[in-house]
Amino acid sequence: MKENNIEELERQFQEKIDNDIKIEPRDWMPDAYRDTLIRQISQHAHSEIVGMLPEGNWITRAPNLRRKAVLLAKVQDEAGHGLYLYSAAETLGADREETIDDLHSGKAKYSSIFNYPTLSWADMGAIGWLVDGAAIMNQVPLCRCSYGPYARAMVRVCKEESFHQRQGFEIMTTLANGTPEQKAMAQDALNRFWWPALMMFGPNDAESKHTEQSMRWKIKRQTNDELRQQFVDITVPQAEMIGLTIPDADLKFNTETGHYEFGEINWDEFWQVVKGNGPCNKDRVDARRKAKENGMWVREAAAAYAEKRANRNKEKRA
């Protein structure tokens, strides 16, 4: 009887999803659905928080006050995104401290793109244009994710990411139209971030072990390869418009399909970075771990104050 009951709950759950009815925190859901969402949402949150590091490195070195203010606002946005997403994971029963500890121990992953160094100011443009552009491509379909809190969080995240993408493209456009040295700096940033940006969409569909089930549950709406193709189709004309060259000798437009064909991604590099062997993996995790340790006294003081205030209110009521 219990087995039959589970089967009926699973049937009703899938029927809701098939009819585009959002799953909410108090609704029944399969353990595998819950686990998949916790893994995806927490990794997304980690990516937002770790993603502050390569950009935060340039706040004090921005070329003028306007650029400094815009970059600072962008980094603050990313902190907010992380908070929204950690909160969404908590609605599924995840413990925020445990998920953060998983990041620090290397158990949890985050987007591979943030394990590459930012060597010049042009990298701020490349990250905004390419990395945030790829993020938007990934995240807009998540606004229709089957899990309500995640979908609703993504609406605001995507609106803010669209500003980040425009900010990055503006930087690249300004540099590309500047001195020969500035244009060379923009081209160099594009050369270094193009392929890692394509890797952001994850492995090819044939090698993605989560895609099929996530599509059935409508956590994802499009496959990795579909999203990657859309990104290439949109971004290549943008590069041409500002006079930069995509670093891919195999890139060409197929008039029959209406899509750009592009070269093979270095999947060995992708998996090495995912496994923790990228240029900045250790530095990024060390920085996050150190930030938690150095800020521990603030959290302890805030908790002590909250407890003291709660006790005082109890005494007043008594």
Side-chain angles (χ1 to χ4, degrees):
M1 182 67 181
K2 188 177 178 182
E3 213 171 284
N4 291 338
N5 188 43
I6 292 294
E7 288 177 2
E8 177 58 20
L9 288 170
E10 287 179 343
R11 187 195 66 76
Q12 292 174 3
F13 169 81
Q14 190 61 48
E15 186 177 324
K16 268 188 177 182
I17 287 176
D18 292 342
N19 288 308
D20 284 325
I21 298 171
K22 290 283 186 278
I23 305 300
E24 300 297 343
R26 293 180 182 274
D27 294 344
W28 184 90
M29 64 188 77
D31 289 341
Y33 177 81
R34 184 187 304 276
D35 292 343
T36 296
L37 279 168
I38 290 174
R39 175 189 58 79
Q40 180 170 326
I41 296 172
S42 62
Q43 287 183 6
H44 191 168
H46 299 331
S47 298
E48 296 285 354
I49 299 301
V50 175
M52 296 164 65
L53 296 171
E55 293 174 314
N57 183 45
W58 280 90
I59 289 173
T60 59
R61 294 184 285 166
N64 56 51
L65 185 58
R66 174 178 174 269
R67 295 295 188 192
K68 189 189 298 287
V70 172
L71 184 57
L72 181 59
K74 181 185 179 187
V75 172
Q76 289 175 319
D77 282 350
E78 287 161 351
H81 298 172
L83 289 173
Y84 306 151
L85 293 164
Y86 284 131
S87 297
E90 285 177 321
T91 66
L92 291 156
D95 181 275
R96 186 180 302 199
E97 288 301 312
E98 287 181 8
T99 60
I100 292 172
D101 288 341
D102 286 344
L103 168 67
H104 296 167
S105 69
K107 180 180 177 182
K109 306 299 181 187
Y110 55 89
S111 180
S112 59
I113 192 72
F114 299 119
N115 290 308
Y116 290 87
T118 47
L119 305 179
S120 75
W121 170 251
D123 290 8
M124 297 303 95
I127 287 177
W129 174 35
L130 301 177
V131 176
D132 293 322
I136 292 168
M137 202 67 66
N138 262 320
Q139 292 169 10
V140 166
L142 291 175
C143 295
R144 296 184 293 121
C145 169
S146 60
Y147 186 59
Y150 192 23
R152 290 188 287 273
M154 292 315 303
V155 173
R156 176 164 180 171
V157 170
C158 287
K159 286 180 179 178
E160 292 177 349
E161 291 288 4
S162 70
F163 283 104
H164 301 170
Q165 194 270 347
R166 289 182 215 172
Q167 173 241 358
F169 189 63
E170 185 207 8
I171 291 174
M172 295 297 272
T173 302
T174 301
L175 291 172
N177 291 317
T179 66
E181 291 80 7
Q182 288 173 322
K183 184 171 183 179
M185 182 165 48
Q187 184 63 57
D188 174 65
L190 172 56
N191 292 347
R192 286 182 288 106
F193 276 94
W194 174 253
W195 292 105
L198 294 191
M199 296 176 194
M200 280 181 67
F201 296 94
N204 287 330
D205 292 346
E207 295 184 30
S208 179
K209 60 183 179 180
H210 300 294
T211 292
E212 185 178 350
Q213 184 60 74
S214 291
M215 293 280 287
R216 183 167 179 265
W217 281 331
K218 294 187 178 178
I219 295 173
K220 291 181 70 168
R221 294 283 182 154
Q222 291 172 280
T223 71
N224 297 350
D225 287 339
E226 288 171 347
L227 292 167
R228 191 167 13 244
Q229 184 65 61
Q230 285 181 23
F231 174 75
V232 172
D233 289 344
I234 287 173
T235 310
V236 172
Q238 292 174 344
E240 292 174 350
M241 182 176 71
I242 60 175
L244 296 180
T245 304
I246 299 295
D248 182 357
D250 297 323
L251 184 70
K252 61 181 179 180
F253 186 73
N254 187 320
T255 54
E256 292 183 8
T257 64
H259 296 293
Y260 283 92
E261 297 176 0
F262 52 95
E264 182 66 20
I265 292 170
N266 184 343
W267 292 113
D268 288 338
E269 177 184 329
F270 170 77
W271 289 115
Q272 282 298 312
V273 175
V274 168
K275 290 174 183 176
N277 301 317
C280 297
N281 285 68
K282 186 177 183 303
D283 292 342
R284 300 294 187 236
V285 175
D286 284 349
R288 293 311 313 156
R289 191 186 299 114
K290 190 179 295 183
K292 180 174 181 179
E293 292 169 357
N294 291 343
M296 189 67 74
W297 69 272
V298 178
R299 290 195 297 280
E300 289 173 353
Y305 175 76
E307 185 180 0
K308 184 178 179 180
R309 188 174 182 181
N311 290 335
R312 190 178 298 155
N313 289 337
K314 277 183 188 177
E315 290 171 5
K316 286 180 180 178
R317 285 194 297 269

